[in-house]
Amino acid sequence: MMAHNKALRLAEDSAAAAEVRRWQTDPEVVALRVERIRTQVDRLCWAGILLGLAFTTANVQGFAAAGAAAWSLPWSTAWLLDPTVCLVLLAILRAEQVTARYQVRTGRWVRAAKWFTLAATYVMNTWSSWAAGSPAGVVLHSVPPLVVFVAAEAVTDLRDKLTEGVQVAFTHAMNGAEVHEPRLPDPQRPVRRKLFGDYLAAARQAWAPGVVVTPAWVRDVSGCSRGLSSRLATTLAAEVGKGDGDER
């Protein structure tokens, strides 16, 4: 009796674990996780970029003011120089944030504008240190612009790879050859994993002339997962010669 109860508990644990794994590998769940990571990456990179540009703004103001008296017209207008460059750079990065999501490549002028604004920020930050022959000053004023430059380049590639990760996960789930729907098994019977052919046989048996084969219909009659239903619908529709394998 104790062995029977233990076997039943193990069967329940196995079914629960299989259910968790099925949802963890579901394309929609994977996409949601990647979107959360993408949001975290964007926030961290944008925070670093904005802090770096804020640092460069103060340095460029000193460079542009060229010793003018505080609150004089040249001193005040010097504050406009770096924000002018930074706003163009931020506009480009914001646009790339959208194009990278859909893996759309931008043109040469976009990349040239981004590199020019970053180079202009670097030159204006380090010019005084180079002219004074101060290696420490060059290093100090080089780090923030270079961090902004590297982050601006890296964040675009990261978004592109995160989007590719969603597509790979979806393709892997759709092409899975063996899946199963967890359920509480009969403790007197051995547990067998349901295969693609089992779901197809159930859908084939439920089909009747006049029935339109769709993924939703396949899920309803066979109890398969959403990720497998499209493939089953396509296969069954090809057999019976009718249906819509793309309808969700």
Side-chain angles (χ1 to χ4, degrees), residues 37-104:
I37 294 175
R38 189 204 304 272
T39 301
Q40 295 173 1
V41 170
D42 281 341
R43 288 176 178 175
L44 292 173
C45 286
W46 277 106
I49 290 173
L50 292 175
L51 289 175
L53 292 178
F55 180 87
T56 62
T57 298
N59 293 332
V60 173
Q61 192 276 339
F63 167 77
W71 304 109
S72 64
L73 181 60
W75 184 91
S76 300
T77 55
W79 284 105
L80 301 177
L81 178 58
D82 195 60
T84 302
V85 178
C86 292
L87 286 176
V88 176
L89 175 61
L90 292 175
I92 296 172
L93 295 180
R94 185 68 182 90
E96 287 186 339
Q97 187 178 22
V98 178
T99 57
R101 177 182 295 271
Y102 301 101
Q103 295 185 313
V104 177

Side-chain angles (χ1 to χ4, degrees), residues 83-164:
T84 302
V85 178
C86 292
L87 286 176
V88 176
L89 175 61
L90 292 175
I92 296 172
L93 295 180
R94 185 68 182 90
E96 287 186 339
Q97 187 178 22
V98 178
T99 57
R101 177 182 295 271
Y102 301 101
Q103 295 185 313
V104 177
R105 301 298 177 185
T106 54
R108 295 180 178 178
W109 277 105
V110 175
R111 197 166 188 83
K114 181 169 68 172
W115 282 42
F116 176 79
T117 53
L118 290 168
T121 300
Y122 176 80
V123 171
M124 289 187 295
N125 268 271
T126 59
W127 183 266
S128 299
S129 298
W130 284 109
S134 172
V138 172
V139 173
L140 176 63
H141 295 95
S142 294
V143 171
L146 291 179
V147 168
V148 172
F149 176 82
V150 173
E153 289 294 321
V155 71
T156 302
D157 290 340
L158 286 174
R159 296 189 193 108
D160 184 71
K161 293 303 180 183
L162 288 172
T163 300
E164 186 177 339

